[in-house]
Amino acid sequence: MKPQHVLVLISIMLLAAMGRSAESAQAPARWFKGNLHTHSLWSDGDHYPDMVVKWYKDQGYDFLSLTDHNILLRGEKWTEVDRGRNGRRAFEAYRAAWEPGWVETREVEGKLQARLKTLPELRARFDEPGRFLLVEGEEVSNSNGVHLNALNLVELIDPAKAADARGKLQQNLDDIGRQRSAAGLPIAAMVNHPNWRWGIRAEDMMALEGNFLLELSNGHPGIKNLGDGEHIGVERMWDLVLASRLERGLEPIYAAATDDAHNYHDFAPERVNPGRGWVMVRADQLQSHAIIEALEAGDFYASTGVTLEDVNFDGRRLNVRVAAEPQVNYRIVFIGTRRGYDSTPDGFGYPAGVGTVLAEAQGPEASYQLTGDELYVRARIESDKPRQNPAVTEEALQWAWTQPVRPGN
């Protein structure tokens, strides 16, 4: 290519980028519904990736990240049709759902196999500008239940080799950070299900360097979101980590609700089904970088059923308004930690003054006026409407959580 042609091409690319930027600046922000934690037959899910994506798109989700364990949906991978308890059932449903030629099979040593579609193939089939987006992801799965998701990554992240939970998390956060810097792209990390196998403590997350999301509500029935008589719940962990980070001048962490879906055939409390938790992200466009940037800025809320019309903060007042449903009652609870909080140990040995109720209101709309002595304030929106197919009876009602805000921010 001649030098003058190169200059023309560069000029065209710059003008196009400027046009996209101008269009993005003019586009009003809107809410996008997405799931950040999902599995398929690429690891330990029980359905084909295209069937998983189809379920979420059919259910009205705007974006999805397939986060199989220690693998990216790249290259050639085949699965035995009769694998697992639902293998044949999954294959018959898979074959019935698509046109001839989409499902590819072969026979190896007398066993029927099907090829798993890659992310580029799934994107070509399902992505629609402004309507649906697949975000590349991986669940980086270390031993002893120490897992974290990498979202919008470029290359595979290997599980860490450190001895303890804190070391594993920090090593993988560092790996994600280096990849982000090298690629010049937003790549988010999310610490998953801390109470699975009691693998991650609040102290582990307090000590981490770098920014990350926290999986607050996970739809797996064995995750123990609420803790037990000997372990605190994940929401309590969130408050402890928030207070610790903000006291040290670090950025807050934000929290998500997810499915962690594995099972797509039988829907029952004991199965790890889709549709139990999601995030609503406010962004001006449905693109991977915009979604990740909004997540990292805390411009989203987590939900297990409650929908918000709006949540906003003007530097002094946190305002929450629910998209109320008829015959459903709501309570909005403002939770936070004040400077100089009561450090008396609670029953688990943590400061009693961290994460206390600052105010609450009945109804679908409420505001909290910050006094200036709060480290942070967040809102939990509780409804009396039952969840569809809850994993455990203790979490049977639809809730939502806003992200923490700070005085003046």
Side-chain angles (χ1 to χ4, degrees):
M1 184 180 291
K2 296 181 179 179
Q4 61 267 33
H5 292 165
V6 173
L7 290 173
V8 170
L9 179 59
I10 292 173
S11 299
I12 292 172
M13 293 173 66
L14 287 172
L15 288 170
M18 291 170 63
R20 286 195 299 271
S21 298
E23 180 180 341
S24 172
Q26 296 170 3
R30 52 168 284 208
W31 293 107
F32 296 106
K33 180 178 181 179
N35 184 38
L36 303 174
H37 192 169
T38 323
H39 296 279
S40 74
L41 282 168
W42 275 85
S43 61
D44 58 349
D46 67 2
H47 220 336
Y48 293 83
D50 21 2
M51 296 297 284
V52 174
V53 178
K54 182 179 186 300
W55 188 94
Y56 282 95
K57 190 171 184 180
D58 288 349
Q59 295 299 314
Y61 285 70
D62 300 296
F63 67 93
L64 173 70
S65 187
L66 291 166
T67 53
D68 281 299
H69 296 280
N70 298 333
I71 196 170
L72 298 178
L73 279 61
R74 303 178 185 179
E76 186 172 293
K77 185 175 175 65
W78 296 76
T79 185
E80 289 188 6
V81 164
D82 291 316
R83 166 189 174 184
R85 59 178 284 182
N86 284 309
R88 176 61 63 166
R89 181 181 178 186
F91 178 72
E92 295 301 336
Y94 181 40
R95 188 164 56 181
W98 306 105
E99 71 278 5
W102 177 255
V103 177
E104 300 175 59
T105 61
R106 70 182 184 187
E107 190 170 305
V108 177
E109 297 180 354
K111 295 181 179 180
L112 183 63
Q113 296 182 344
R115 189 176 72 82
L116 301 181
K117 300 299 183 183
T118 64
L119 184 65
E121 290 172 303
L122 297 172
R123 281 176 164 162
R125 179 102 199 194
F126 292 102
D127 275 15
E128 292 185 61
R131 296 189 60 189
F132 190 79
L133 172 73
L134 286 168
V135 179
E136 187 155 27
E138 173 197 356
E139 183 167 20
V140 186
S141 305
N142 299 290
S143 59
N144 301 321
V146 180
H147 294 184
L148 75 165
N149 277 1
L151 305 167
N152 199 38
L153 77 175
V154 178
E155 299 294 340
L156 188 75
I157 300 291
D158 293 323
K161 304 300 183 183
D164 59 9
R166 174 187 171 186
K168 290 182 173 73
L169 291 171
Q170 189 63 65
Q171 181 178 326
N172 282 142
L173 283 175
D174 292 344
D175 292 341
I176 292 169
R178 281 190 288 269
Q179 187 176 126
R180 176 177 179 143
S181 296
L185 295 172
I187 301 173
M190 180 172 71
V191 174
N192 292 345
H193 44 58
N195 276 347
W196 187 52
R197 298 180 179 174
W198 315 115
I200 301 172
R201 304 169 304 154
E203 292 88 339
D204 297 322
M205 291 185 283
M206 290 178 195
L208 295 177
E209 298 178 1
N211 294 331
F212 57 94
L213 305 171
L214 172 63
E215 192 176 59
L216 171 67
S217 177
N218 177 300
H220 193 303
I223 290 302
K224 307 292 185 182
N225 294 318
L226 301 181
D228 64 8
E230 298 180 0
H231 305 86
I232 62 173
V234 180
E235 189 169 2
R236 176 71 168 136
M237 287 187 182
W238 187 20
D239 284 308
L240 291 165
V241 177
L242 275 170
S244 173
R245 287 176 64 91
L246 293 173
E247 282 185 305
R248 291 178 287 144
L250 302 177
E251 291 297 308
I253 63 167
Y254 304 118
T258 75
D259 287 336
D260 193 2
H262 289 69
N263 307 134
Y264 304 90
H265 305 289
D266 301 310
F267 280 64
E270 67 274 12
R271 308 299 289 162
V272 193
N273 297 137
R276 286 176 173 160
W278 54 88
V279 291
M280 296 294 294
V281 177
R282 184 160 44 194
D284 58 5
Q285 53 188 325
L286 186 59
Q287 294 184 1
S288 294
H289 73 274
I291 294 298
I292 298 302
E293 288 170 355
L295 288 169
E296 294 191 322
D299 203 358
F300 72 102
Y301 66 91
S303 181
T304 60
V306 171
T307 300
L308 302 184
E309 278 189 7
D310 191 31
V311 54
N312 64 78
F313 179 61
D314 61 8
R316 298 188 63 188
R317 183 178 292 273
L318 175 60
N319 305 294
V320 179
R321 185 169 69 249
V322 179
E325 298 183 50
Q327 310 304 314
V328 178
N329 297 306
Y330 299 92
R331 181 173 70 158
I332 300 175
V333 183
F334 294 97
I335 299 166
T337 301
R338 298 187 185 278
R339 300 181 188 278
Y341 55 80
D342 180 6
S343 59
T344 303
D346 63 11
F348 294 93
Y350 294 109
V354 170
T356 61
V357 174
L358 304 178
E360 59 182 270
Q362 300 293 330
E365 187 170 0
S367 297
Y368 178 85
Q369 178 78 39
L370 277 69
T371 63
D373 70 341
E374 299 93 348
L375 285 169
Y376 67 91
V377 180
R378 60 182 182 83
R380 183 176 67 222
I381 301 90
E382 304 171 359
S383 84
D384 61 0
K385 182 178 180 179
R387 299 185 191 182
Q388 294 182 352
N389 184 32
V392 293
T393 57
E394 294 84 358
E395 299 176 90
L397 299 178
Q398 296 184 4
W399 285 11
W401 297 263
T402 73
Q403 304 308 322
V405 297
R406 295 169 287 165
N409 279 26

